[in-house]
Amino acid sequence: MNDKAFLRYALEQSFIFPQADVAEGIVLSRGEGKSAGYTFADYKRPHIVPYYLPFSVTRKYAKSATHDIIRCPRLYAEYDMFKHDLSENIIMPADFAELRKAEKVLDLNSVSRQAAQRKKVTATIFPSAFTEQYKNICSQYAADMHKAEEVYKQNPIAVNIALLNDFADVFQKFMKRARWPHLGLKRNRKQMLYYLNEAAQLLKTHQILAQDFCATHEFYGEDKKLFRKEARRCREIFENLIKLMRQLPDESQLFVVIQELLISPQKFHNALKAYREEHKCENADKIADLRRKEQKLFRYFAMLQYLNGVRAAFENRFLDECPQKRPPALPTVSPEDELKKISKIVAESKAIQITAGKLAAMYMSALKNYDSVHKEFLKTL
């Protein structure tokens, strides 16, 4: 495999298999099969809807980005140096006192010239400014989410109203879809109404939904090829609705409102109006807007996590598959001098400034989009 083919392969694989170091509380999962996409979910904040990134989108990004492999002469120069370092395979002795400290300071998964040079190769197509900005955004995001949680705690009635409206929005979209002349949807519409009413009745009478409540309720067609797709979609909606119901406090009136929705939108409107009259709340619209902005912020933050994962996978995983012969590792006789060389390479990687290329545009656009959404969120907060 020549250099061009290998670098193209490494970049494509990085988009398909990102090495995502997700923020605390966020879980990244990949679906089953070669064409499965990625899902980012915040388990600490169940009201945030998971963000799904389809495989078709990641493939589109990969194809677009690989054009940069052809148009970046410095990439090949730095890659040649990387191969040279691999051919020497000089490493730091394991007992060197400064090793762990240097690993953290230099942001290397191993303190070596090879690892430092991988960072420099990466910087020729991925904007190095992204990495530093991403670290700051991670800290900023955690602080912003904490502030939002405090606002929600101070406005419990408004949060209840927002949850009921979220429930109604998801449910009514399903009911609209269920009008299609599709046998699976027609039968599962009845199942959905029955299951949701059962859950609301249990919660209304101050009982607890079993953890496996969703798993023990089946939808027609889940085991039939012809109806499987729509049946699975019904299950996803059902699980989302149950998740919203679990977030409501143990107040019977809230589940009465849900049961009214299962009968008709008008009954829901009247029941929600009665609840709002009984529980005066001035901040309902503000809280609803904050939750929408929070959801939007999460989506853009998830995209930054994905892109950072692509960069990390290219640097730390796929570049290491370089088809270069490597002799047995040779510990340096002068670790202090070797560390200076490594530090110099890392500093040079940070000094590389790229503005051209589809990859750089993609990353800087993602940062710009997040910043714009973040400003909207702060105004609401």
Side-chain angles (χ1 to χ4, degrees):
M1 188 184 294
N2 62 32
D3 291 353
K4 177 182 173 183
F6 171 72
L7 289 168
R8 189 184 187 99
Y9 157 82
L11 189 55
E12 285 179 342
Q13 293 299 299
S14 299
F15 273 94
I16 299 169
F17 301 104
Q19 188 177 309
D21 180 18
V22 293
E24 183 183 358
I26 297 176
V27 175
L28 172 63
S29 59
R30 187 170 187 258
E32 298 179 359
K34 293 183 179 180
S35 299
Y38 286 94
T39 300
F40 291 83
D42 192 331
Y43 71 84
K44 291 181 71 175
R45 302 170 186 87
H47 63 279
I48 292 181
V49 178
Y51 173 70
Y52 177 67
L53 187 61
F55 177 77
S56 58
V57 173
T58 61
R59 287 294 299 164
K60 181 181 177 183
Y61 289 159
K63 287 183 179 181
S64 176
T66 50
H67 286 286
D68 291 357
I69 298 297
I70 306 170
R71 299 174 174 83
C72 186
R74 184 165 184 181
L75 169 64
Y76 293 97
E78 299 297 349
Y79 181 64
D80 283 339
M81 183 58 70
F82 173 57
K83 290 192 295 181
H84 171 74
D85 289 337
L86 288 177
S87 67
E88 291 189 337
N89 206 11
I90 296 172
I91 63 169
M92 299 285 279
D95 59 353
F96 181 54
E98 298 295 313
L99 201 61
R100 294 291 168 260
K101 180 181 177 182
E103 193 174 272
K104 186 175 182 180
V105 171
L106 299 175
D107 189 27
L108 294 171
N109 59 358
S110 66
V111 183
S112 66
R113 255 187 280 173
Q114 301 93 299
Q117 189 60 30
R118 281 202 308 263
K119 192 174 286 294
K120 202 171 178 184
V121 172
T122 303
T124 63
I125 52 175
F126 291 86
S128 55
F130 177 88
T131 306
E132 290 303 317
Q133 290 187 52
Y134 174 74
K135 289 178 182 177
N136 294 333
I137 286 173
C138 284
S139 299
Q140 178 192 81
Y141 179 83
D144 290 341
M145 293 298 103
H146 179 70
K147 290 177 183 176
E149 288 171 8
E150 292 302 312
V151 171
Y152 296 146
K153 288 177 183 178
Q154 296 166 13
N155 296 274
I157 302 302
V159 171
N160 291 344
I161 293 169
L163 283 167
L164 289 170
N165 280 320
D166 287 348
F167 186 97
D169 183 54
V170 175
F171 175 76
Q172 288 173 338
K173 284 179 180 177
F174 166 76
M175 293 299 286
K176 184 177 180 180
R177 183 182 181 87
R179 295 193 191 105
W180 290 7
H182 188 287
L183 179 60
L185 284 173
K186 186 176 181 180
R187 290 187 60 167
N188 283 325
R189 176 182 180 278
K190 294 180 180 179
Q191 295 293 89
M192 182 77 78
L193 289 169
Y194 181 81
Y195 294 161
L196 292 175
N197 187 62
E198 178 189 354
Q201 185 62 29
L202 287 170
L203 293 169
K204 184 177 73 174
T205 54
H206 311 293
Q207 298 180 65
I208 298 174
L209 291 185
Q211 286 300 314
D212 63 349
F213 182 83
C214 292
T216 56
H217 289 67
E218 298 179 354
F219 285 94
Y220 174 76
E222 288 186 282
D223 58 346
K224 303 179 188 302
K225 187 175 181 180
L226 186 61
F227 302 113
R228 190 176 298 150
K229 183 178 179 181
E230 289 298 340
R232 285 181 177 174
R233 178 62 180 150
C234 289
R235 174 162 296 282
E236 289 174 4
I237 294 168
F238 174 57
E239 289 175 351
N240 189 15
L241 290 170
I242 292 298
K243 186 174 77 169
L244 289 167
M245 290 173 71
R246 289 183 191 275
Q247 293 174 56
L248 289 166
D250 187 15
E251 296 177 21
S252 297
Q253 189 178 359
L254 295 170
F255 301 103
V256 169
V257 175
I258 285 178
Q259 286 181 316
E260 293 292 86
L261 172 65
L262 302 181
I263 299 171
S264 76
Q266 186 58 49
K267 285 184 175 293
F268 168 75
H269 175 77
N270 294 337
L272 183 59
K273 182 179 178 182
Y275 176 81
R276 295 189 66 160
E277 288 176 351
E278 188 175 331
H279 302 81
K280 297 300 181 182
C281 175
E282 297 179 356
N283 293 330
D285 292 340
K286 179 183 176 181
I287 294 301
D289 190 34
L290 178 61
R291 284 165 62 88
R292 285 192 293 271
K293 299 286 176 58
E294 182 184 45
Q295 182 67 53
K296 190 175 181 181
L297 189 70
F298 173 76
R299 293 201 303 272
Y300 281 86
F301 182 61
M303 178 54 69
L304 291 182
Q305 290 182 91
Y306 168 73
L307 292 176
N308 184 64
V310 172
R311 179 206 58 78
F314 181 78
E315 177 185 326
N316 300 319
R317 180 182 174 186
F318 291 105
L319 273 184
D320 220 27
E321 295 182 12
C322 169
Q324 172 67 38
K325 290 183 179 180
R326 310 173 200 192
L330 179 66
T332 179
V333 295
S334 179
E336 290 83 4
D337 289 341
E338 186 69 13
L339 182 57
K340 288 179 181 178
K341 293 176 183 177
I342 294 168
S343 300
K344 182 173 182 291
I345 295 170
V346 171
E348 288 171 350
S349 74
K350 293 180 179 179
I352 297 174
Q353 301 292 330
I354 58 167
T355 55
K358 293 187 176 183
L359 202 54
M362 182 188 303
Y363 275 66
M364 300 318 290
S365 176
L367 285 172
K368 185 178 179 181
N369 290 339
Y370 178 85
D371 182 61
S372 176
V373 173
H374 180 244
K375 286 177 181 176
E376 291 179 18
F377 175 79
L378 289 181
K379 287 179 182 178
T380 309
L381 190 63

